[in-house]
Amino acid sequence: MNYNDAAFLTERIPLGDKRALSRAITLVENEDPRALKIERDLYSLTGKAYRVGITGPPGAGKSTLVNVLAKEFKSRGNKVGIIAVDPTSPFTGGALLGDRIRMGAALADHEIFMRSMASRGGTGGLARTTTQVADVMDSFGFDVLIIETVGVGQLELDIAGAVDTTVVVLVPEAGGGVQAMKAGLIEIADIFAINKADRDGAEILKSELQDALSLMPAIKNGSWDLPVKLTVALEGRGVKELVDTVYKHKEHLEASGKFHKNRQSQAEIKIRDIVRAEIGKRLWMNPSLKSVLDSLSGFCVEGKIDPYSAARTFLQSAEAQR
Amino acid sequence: MDKIKVLVAKPGLDGHDRGAKVVARALRDAGMEVIYTGLRQTPEMVVEAALQEDVDFVALSILSGAHMTIFPRVLEKLREAGLDHVVLTGGGIIPPEDMDKLHQMGINKLFGPGTSLEEIVNYFKEEGAKKKVS
Ligand SMILES: Nc1nc2c(ncn2[C@@H]2O[C@H](COP(=O)(O)OP(=O)(O)OP(=O)(O)O)[C@@H](O)[C@H]2O)c(=O)[nH]1
Ligand SMILES: [Mg+2]
């Protein structure tokens, strides 16, 4: 029983040991050397969980919605896991992770596993390691994985590349469809949920959004008409319909072949990231290449060489070293 | 470096968590990752959250006078869950003689009313540093 041992953890996770899962997530999050073995050994068990992303502005009610969504998925016989990302303070490196507060009901009977993640410098609304954490959770045997992002501003849109269905949560106060278009939310959304529909303006936002959508050529979505759903997460209203819509989207992805295609491009992203990191390690951690780089950058400052030629010279030295 | 992770919870039925929130923010500002669970947590919920979040500390804020039942319950549940490495600490209106008894049971440092935030933060930093080395 050694919860610090990677081999032990990979053995225990498929058996349903939550503590092993929890520790493995920590190692992955910390980018600990042991995480590599864990991710590699468990990868063959991943792919089964349907991944749903929940994103939207701060305070839109994402966590409250995840709470009721998780319960609804569970009541339909699914084993549900949740990952919720909150921002790390760029000044102190600390984070206050408060998403569990809203998920009391879903978490009460301990059948739903929920993990908070600090963004730790990740910029796209996720932490750098959120996808890997999702993979490890996937291997535990969840049917549905719900991932809540940091409250997005603009251009924090990594979630779409990490999940199968992206739900963008807006609130009546959020301003109209034009804002959503500007913020790039229409590009990443598979479903819009207008939450806090108990407040004035929800119907207006809905029709504004639908107007904005009707102007958009259906580039990304093909035959999928972006649905706009109203929810009152606090009361659980509209949640069954939202889950139905997630399943409709899933069917659409599967029937059109996009499910496989999306997953393949996600795998491609993973490979690219690993290759980039590996190349970086080989180039920048190599002491003799470092001294080549030092002298080249010195020459640049002295005006003896331009950065492009310096880069070519650097790559030639790297080649010569292999 | 690995982050120090703290679960701050407010068990029991008393409905006011200002103190817990102030401590949670202070620990965040000291660079820690703080999971805040909100009000009315049962010992079972606290321990399950500690397990799922893989924290180093569980810090309970208890103002209701129920500390002599809640702390031992949480400690017992932590041990049942195999989470012996998790440090159990906290604060509230706890008389010194109760603090002594709780220490003897294996509960770590407890903070009474009027403790400065600085003192609390330093405790987590020092204990946390020890844990991350070992
Ligand atoms: N009126 C109303 N309030 C809601 C509804 N859903 C959530 N809220 C409230 O909105 C506030 C924010 O809810 P959260 O679920 O924490 O929002 P969030 O999007 O997860 O927030 P961050 O994670 O901090 O970005 C809370 O006070 C909720 O009670 C709703 O349907 N109607
Ligand atoms: Mg939230």
Side-chain angles (χ1 to χ4, degrees):
Chain A
M1 285 246 297
N2 182 355
Y3 285 88
N4 291 315
D5 176 46
F8 176 78
L9 295 177
T10 53
E11 201 177 291
R12 297 290 300 176
I13 286 171
L15 302 176
D17 182 342
K18 283 195 273 189
R19 196 178 148 205
L21 172 63
S22 182
R23 175 53 52 85
I25 293 173
T26 302
L27 296 178
V28 171
E29 246 193 316
N30 289 346
E31 299 177 86
D32 185 283
R34 284 165 286 182
L36 195 68
K37 176 177 171 53
I38 295 173
E39 288 171 43
R40 242 196 250 148
D41 289 359
L42 291 175
Y43 195 77
S44 65
L45 300 175
T46 65
K48 190 169 142 279
Y50 194 77
R51 299 184 188 192
V52 181
I54 307 291
T55 191
K62 297 180 292 298
S63 300
T64 315
L65 195 59
V66 170
N67 179 44
V68 284
L69 279 174
K71 278 200 301 179
E72 180 63 25
F73 276 114
K74 188 184 143 207
S75 77
R76 299 188 191 196
N78 295 294
K79 191 165 158 189
V80 182
I82 301 169
I83 301 172
V85 190
D86 269 326
T88 293
S89 157
F91 303 107
T92 66
L96 192 52
L97 310 171
D99 294 312
R100 289 190 91 92
I101 300 171
R102 312 281 174 215
M103 300 184 192
L107 302 177
D109 63 7
H110 306 168
E111 285 181 20
I112 293 176
F113 186 102
M114 189 274 189
R115 181 65 174 238
S116 310
M117 287 186 82
S119 63
R120 295 193 184 178
T123 50
L126 299 176
R128 247 200 330 269
T129 56
T130 300
T131 309
Q132 287 92 307
V133 167
D135 285 345
V136 171
M137 283 183 65
D138 193 336
S139 70
F140 187 77
F142 293 107
D143 302 301
V144 176
L145 266 182
I146 306 179
I147 304 180
E148 177 188 341
T149 72
V150 173
V152 289
Q154 297 193 357
L155 302 174
E156 298 186 300
L157 311 170
D158 284 358
I159 185 70
V163 298
D164 301 307
T165 298
T166 304
V167 179
V168 172
V169 184
L170 298 174
V171 284
E173 303 82 287
V178 179
Q179 257 75 24
M181 203 146 60
K182 276 197 209 151
L185 292 174
I186 289 180
E187 278 80 358
I188 64 156
D190 298 306
I191 300 168
F192 276 109
I194 300 177
N195 189 41
K196 307 196 187 182
D198 51 327
R199 297 192 180 167
D200 288 343
E203 288 290 349
I204 298 174
L205 176 58
K206 180 174 176 178
S207 56
E208 279 178 358
L209 259 178
Q210 283 170 334
D211 285 349
L213 290 170
S214 67
L215 298 173
M216 305 263 301
I219 326 162
K220 161 200 155 197
N221 291 302
S223 53
W224 176 249
D225 285 325
L226 258 176
V228 182
K229 296 282 157 190
L230 299 183
T231 59
V232 183
L234 261 186
E235 298 162 16
R237 269 200 278 156
V239 170
K240 283 200 168 60
E241 293 79 355
L242 188 55
V243 169
D244 289 341
T245 311
V246 170
Y247 278 111
K248 269 194 207 121
H249 184 243
K250 178 173 187 267
E251 281 159 27
H252 161 78
L253 290 177
E254 284 164 353
S256 62
K258 277 188 251 173
F259 180 80
H260 183 79
K261 220 175 109 220
N262 291 350
R263 290 247 171 143
Q264 185 168 345
S265 60
Q266 290 170 5
E268 183 181 323
I269 293 172
K270 280 181 206 162
I271 298 171
R272 279 173 187 256
D273 284 348
I274 296 165
V275 170
R276 189 183 305 119
E278 189 57 35
I279 289 178
K281 234 189 284 170
R282 288 187 200 178
L283 291 182
W284 314 128
M285 313 284 243
N286 177 323
S288 66
L289 286 177
K290 174 74 174 103
S291 67
V292 173
L293 185 62
D294 284 344
S295 41
L296 285 169
S297 52
F299 293 154
C300 276
V301 176
E302 290 161 22
K304 288 184 185 153
I305 192 171
D306 66 275
Y308 297 94
S309 314
R312 192 177 314 144
T313 310
F314 178 80
L315 287 173
Q316 280 162 356
S317 337
E319 275 298 314
Q321 288 231 339
R322 295 195 323 138
Chain B
M1 206 199 81
D2 298 352
K3 296 278 177 190
I4 297 171
K5 288 183 75 177
V6 184
L7 182 84
V8 175
K10 182 80 191 67
L13 295 175
D14 55 318
H16 127 140
D17 65 345
R18 217 174 311 132
K21 277 184 181 155
V22 169
V23 169
R25 276 193 215 109
L27 296 176
R28 173 199 60 190
D29 293 342
M32 296 170 217
E33 291 184 354
V34 183
I35 292 114
Y36 185 62
T37 59
L39 295 166
R40 282 181 275 281
Q41 301 283 304
T42 64
E44 289 75 10
M45 288 162 83
V46 171
V47 172
E48 182 68 16
L51 181 125
Q52 295 183 2
E53 301 285 357
D54 195 16
V55 293
D56 305 302
F57 294 88
V58 169
L60 305 179
S61 159
I62 302 176
L63 302 169
S64 60
H67 48 268
M68 292 311 282
T69 50
I70 294 177
F71 275 108
R73 273 302 291 283
V74 172
L75 189 67
E76 182 195 327
K77 296 274 158 201
L78 280 172
R79 287 180 176 158
E80 273 173 32
L83 302 179
D84 306 78
H85 59 284
V86 174
V87 175
L88 179 58
T89 172
I93 307 165
I94 307 170
E97 59 273 20
D98 286 356
M99 282 195 188
D100 287 343
K101 282 187 207 148
L102 291 169
H103 281 314
Q104 276 155 23
M105 294 176 197
I107 286 132
N108 216 277
K109 196 166 171 61
L110 295 170
F111 299 93
T115 314
S116 75
L117 276 178
E118 197 188 346
E119 193 182 323
I120 296 175
V121 167
N122 283 338
Y123 161 76
F124 281 92
K125 274 190 183 161
E126 281 161 23
E127 288 297 309
K130 278 188 225 158
K131 288 176 70 80
K132 293 299 174 188
V133 184
S134 61

